[in-house]
Amino acid sequence: KDPRVLSLVGNEPKGYLRSIRCPDFGKHWEKAAEDEITNLRTNGTFELVPIWKAQKLKQDKPNEVSLGYTHFVNKCKTMDNGNGESVLDKLKSRLVYQGNCSTRFVDWLTSHSPACKMDSFRMLMALAATFNLFAFCGDWVAAFLQTGSPNNHMYARFPNGYKMVENGVEMCMHLKRNLYGMVDAARNWFQTLEHWMMHECPMKFTQLGSDQCVFYCQEGADFTILFLYVDDLGVLTTCTEMKNKLFKDIKGRFEFEDKGELKYFLGISVVRDMTKKVLTLDMKAYIKDKLKLFNLEGKKAYATAIIDEDLVQPGEMLSAERSTEFRGMVGAFLWATIVRPDISHAVGKLSQHMAKPTDGWYKQAQRCW
């Protein structure tokens, strides 16, 4: 709850140089960056190559070799402490490939990667409550880095301000695995995981026809349902032994963290009372954080979010800064509708004015929050 830490949320320093110069947390950001590079090298994500050699290859074969750029994305990760309040989880620096350096048909072909539908998620939570299913969650550690890259021609420079030097020679990375930021990284990860689930996992899983990211397995009278959202996993089961067996199998193939009972998933707090067969989903911490971000704490509360479009006075066009804030408000709303379907109609109305927001619709967005 240290206000200095929580003030970082949404205001993290951009880039390596800015982060290490942060007066309060510079040393922590520097350690986070070093931990990231060490983790990547340990996992064999890249091999060090003299940068002059990569530049020579790029010069000789401009259409066959890529020499891209990377940067650190800093994130102050928080979690719900169970009382609707955000507390620090960890400071994370992630090395990201600048996908805008990529060339289609050279570095990637297609980028689509599915994620569990929120309708599926709500349906599964309803099933868990109705039939008193056990619910667990887990997380793949640096998921994309556990997938080999189909492209062996990709090289990347280290971020601006961060240099790797060996024997007096500046080095760059020859990428051997996926790196966050690659256009097809998420797709390669899903295809790797899907293939393992369907063909290599000792438990025989079947893919749900209506959602590619939901799998189920039945053994006698017991069954397990698994759902995926990129590198987050949720499991519903009638038997904890099946869950233990599944997680053991996953750890035998991937680097994976068992996070125990499903209490927090994708920013959603899950509260259960199995004796009464009641399950509640809420995003109190997320909503409080957004109210603070948009300077709306302590404002008048409304009973409904209904917007009567005929009564809205559009007013003048917003400035560039306030237009960005309006779009941020509406974008945050879209995620909040997972647990607040009562605001869906209002969010739909607000979304229609993302291109040319006006003062009147800005006030309606504030009212909705």
Side-chain angles (χ1 to χ4, degrees):
K1 295 183 180 180
D2 186 336
R4 295 182 306 160
V5 175
L6 296 182
S7 66
L8 286 174
V9 179
N11 299 294
E12 294 89 347
K14 295 183 179 180
Y16 178 73
L17 292 176
R18 290 181 183 176
S19 64
I20 63 174
R21 291 170 182 168
C22 178
D24 293 323
F25 305 102
K27 292 183 179 179
H28 299 287
W29 287 123
E30 186 173 11
K31 183 179 183 303
E34 289 294 341
D35 289 345
E36 174 73 353
I37 295 295
T38 300
N39 183 47
L40 294 178
R41 293 192 69 179
T42 302
N43 290 337
T45 304
F46 63 82
E47 291 180 354
L48 291 176
V49 174
I51 193 168
W52 65 265
K53 186 178 290 188
Q55 290 172 331
K56 182 70 166 55
L57 287 170
K58 178 64 176 175
Q59 184 178 0
D60 295 342
K61 301 178 179 180
N63 296 322
E64 298 178 26
V65 174
S66 295
L67 179 57
Y69 294 85
T70 61
H71 62 270
F72 284 112
V73 173
N74 300 314
K75 184 69 176 177
C76 179
K77 293 197 169 187
T78 61
M79 61 184 297
D80 192 325
N81 66 355
N83 297 316
E85 297 178 341
S86 292
V87 294
L88 176 67
D89 183 9
K90 61 183 176 180
L91 298 181
K92 172 71 176 176
S93 286
R94 190 182 295 283
L95 185 70
V96 175
Y97 186 83
Q98 293 184 197
N100 59 307
C101 301
S102 301
T103 303
R104 192 172 186 182
F105 303 120
V106 176
D107 299 324
W108 59 280
L109 297 177
T110 185
S111 60
H112 171 72
S113 177
C116 179
K117 300 173 183 176
M118 287 301 104
D119 284 345
S120 299
F121 174 72
R122 286 191 292 263
M123 177 193 71
L124 292 171
M125 293 299 99
L127 290 175
T130 303
F131 298 103
N132 253 1
L133 303 178
F134 297 103
F136 302 95
C137 61
D139 180 31
W140 276 273
V141 180
F144 291 2
L145 311 182
Q146 300 190 50
T147 305
S149 174
N151 305 314
N152 293 319
H153 65 282
M154 299 184 74
Y155 296 79
R157 296 175 174 88
F158 284 99
N160 182 38
Y162 186 98
K163 286 188 177 182
M164 183 76 73
V165 178
E166 288 193 355
N167 299 321
V169 179
E170 184 177 352
M171 312 297 282
C172 70
M173 296 174 281
H174 182 196
L175 300 174
K176 299 295 185 180
R177 291 176 175 268
N178 276 327
L179 198 64
Y180 285 86
M182 287 183 175
V183 177
D184 58 353
R187 181 177 180 82
N188 292 338
W189 162 249
F190 176 76
Q191 289 180 334
T192 297
L193 191 54
E194 179 187 40
H195 183 270
W196 183 81
M197 292 290 302
M198 300 289 290
H199 304 290
E200 299 176 15
C201 179
M203 297 175 67
K204 303 301 180 181
F205 276 92
T206 302
Q207 196 171 32
L208 192 67
S210 60
D211 194 325
Q212 298 177 67
C213 295
V214 179
F215 301 81
Y216 61 93
C217 170
Q218 185 162 354
E219 295 181 355
D222 293 314
F223 65 86
T224 294
I225 302 174
L226 179 151
F227 55 97
L228 306 170
Y229 196 95
V230 189
D231 58 352
D232 290 297
L233 168 147
V235 172
L236 305 181
T237 183
T238 56
C239 174
T240 56
E241 292 180 1
M242 288 188 71
K243 169 262 178 184
N244 293 335
K245 180 181 177 182
L246 172 62
F247 280 18
K248 182 179 179 180
D249 292 338
I250 293 175
K251 289 179 179 179
R253 170 62 176 82
F254 302 96
E255 190 175 353
F256 179 79
E257 180 183 358
D258 181 351
K259 291 195 170 182
E261 291 184 30
L262 182 64
K263 295 182 179 179
Y264 193 71
F265 191 76
L266 301 176
I268 304 167
S269 178
V270 181
V271 181
R272 298 191 68 181
D273 186 339
M274 297 185 72
T275 59
K276 297 181 179 179
K277 293 188 177 182
V278 173
L279 185 149
T280 303
L281 304 178
D282 74 66
M283 300 175 76
K284 291 179 181 178
Y286 173 85
I287 292 171
K288 285 181 179 179
D289 288 344
K290 296 305 176 184
L291 288 172
K292 183 177 181 180
L293 177 64
F294 301 131
N295 297 314
L296 296 173
E297 288 181 300
K299 299 292 184 180
K300 177 182 177 182
Y302 290 87
T304 68
I306 295 174
I307 293 176
D308 188 341
E309 192 168 4
D310 295 334
L311 300 179
V312 176
Q313 299 295 326
E316 297 181 358
M317 292 286 295
L318 296 177
S319 65
E321 183 178 353
R322 294 187 76 193
S323 294
T324 299
E325 184 179 358
F326 174 84
R327 295 183 183 111
M329 285 183 180
V330 179
F333 272 138
L334 294 173
W335 192 249
T337 54
I338 297 172
V339 297
R340 289 297 301 271
D342 56 311
I343 67 172
S344 297
H345 179 266
V347 174
K349 291 291 184 183
L350 292 168
S351 299
Q352 296 173 16
H353 301 273
M354 294 278 272
K356 297 180 179 179
T358 63
D359 186 61
W361 285 102
Y362 177 83
K363 291 178 180 177
Q364 288 297 320
Q366 287 184 315
R367 179 189 185 281
C368 196
W369 270 111

